[in-house]
Amino acid sequence: IPIELPAGYRTDLNYSSRTGKGVAMECLPTKEGLLVGVLLIKPTDEETCLKVSDPKKLREYLDSDFPMFSKMVSDENVEKIAKSKFSGLPNFQYAGGALHLGSCAGLIGDAIHTVKPYFGMGVNSAFEDITVLEECIEKAKGDSRIFLPQYSKNRAADAKALVKISHSFDGGFLTFVLPLILDSVFNRLAPWLFMPNTIQMLQKDDWSFVRTSRRKRFDRTLQITILATLFGGSVRLAIMLVKFLLSKRFFLA
């Protein structure tokens, strides 16, 4: 769904909204400023599926359930969206081991890592596959007996890390929202020690998926250690206070 942002809106953010029935609108930024919206509907929600298949009903549905986005979608695009076909989300999968077959062929894109279309990670990671493969070809001077095994070595671990990171975004509050909150708080308090959240880290061109994954594991371990220490200290302080009050025979009414 093309989302045309009005003047004054930030074009570098992901915009998102969810209805009470679980229908979600995820809007991803592009360099051109146009947002790419994805309407996520459960296959069992036949009522909503019927609504979005008719231009008039789709417009009414956007007005009632997604009013913040409805005015940003032109009537022409509503017509096109209603006529488009539904597509299912892929399962989280990655190819383990070799990403090539001898000196004959190599795999890229969804053939080695499938993720859901959140934050544009699917197509962008495929472009990265091509970049890595191109670098290997140049270093091997076009010898497929050299560059294909090297491509597997350079990219297999990143393919696995990409899928695992993306899968964590699909886990709800504990594995997605809470880590974003923790990263935001700790990065604001100590930017010299804690990196930004995972989504921002993925936008760093010089950071691989493996490096990002390892760094966030370090951040998460340190965050949990600090919070556990603070909680343990608070509990001990509360116990000491209770003992002090009892020793002085103070009673609460």
Side-chain angles (χ1 to χ4, degrees), residues 23-243:
V23 179
M25 176 84 83
E26 303 289 344
C27 303
L28 312 177
T30 65
K31 291 184 177 180
E32 293 75 21
L34 184 73
L35 293 183
V36 178
V38 179
L39 192 61
L40 301 173
I41 308 170
K42 295 179 180 178
T44 54
D45 188 356
E46 296 181 1
E47 180 183 356
T48 302
C49 290
L50 289 174
K51 288 180 180 178
V52 301
S53 299
D54 178 86
K56 183 179 179 181
K57 292 181 179 179
L58 174 57
R59 172 59 74 186
E60 293 174 350
Y61 178 71
L62 292 175
D63 287 341
S64 62
D65 288 61
F66 296 100
M68 68 295 291
F69 293 124
S70 183
K71 60 184 178 181
M72 304 178 191
V73 183
S74 66
D75 291 336
E76 180 183 356
N77 285 326
V78 167
E79 188 82 22
K80 292 179 179 179
I81 295 163
K83 293 180 180 179
S84 64
K85 295 181 180 180
F86 288 96
S87 58
L89 296 178
N91 295 321
F92 293 101
Q93 300 180 53
Y94 61 88
L99 307 181
H100 69 287
L101 177 63
S103 60
C104 302
L107 303 175
I108 63 171
D110 286 352
I112 61 174
H113 46 66
T114 55
V115 298
K116 293 185 179 181
Y118 301 150
F119 315 110
M121 294 173 66
V123 66
N124 286 322
S125 60
F127 289 147
E128 286 189 14
D129 295 338
I130 296 172
T131 299
V132 173
L133 179 59
E134 183 179 23
E135 291 174 353
C136 293
I137 292 174
E138 291 179 354
K139 290 180 180 180
K141 297 182 179 180
D143 189 340
S144 61
R145 294 170 300 177
I146 298 176
F147 73 70
L148 284 176
Q150 189 61 46
Y151 166 70
S152 286
K153 181 179 179 181
N154 292 356
R155 197 58 176 165
D158 265 336
K160 179 179 179 179
L162 161 65
V163 174
K164 287 187 173 295
I165 290 173
S166 182
H167 197 185
S168 71
F169 293 161
D170 200 50
F173 180 80
L174 289 179
T175 63
F176 179 43
V177 180
L178 182 58
L180 291 181
I181 295 174
L182 290 176
D183 286 338
S184 176
V185 171
F186 279 92
N187 177 249
R188 188 180 298 113
L189 293 174
W192 49 271
L193 180 59
F194 294 97
M195 299 296 288
N197 66 59
T198 307
I199 297 175
Q200 291 178 288
M201 293 292 292
L202 292 174
Q203 297 173 353
K204 294 180 177 292
D205 295 334
D206 55 337
W207 279 67
S208 67
F209 294 118
V210 170
R211 186 183 178 190
T212 298
S213 179
R214 289 173 178 170
R215 176 65 202 203
K216 296 319 297 180
R217 281 201 300 268
F218 170 82
D219 283 355
R220 202 72 65 235
T221 300
L222 192 54
Q223 290 167 0
I224 293 174
T225 301
I226 293 174
L227 291 175
T229 302
L230 292 175
F231 178 75
S234 299
V235 171
R236 287 193 295 270
L237 181 61
I239 293 174
M240 291 172 60
L241 180 59
V242 170
K243 289 182 177 179

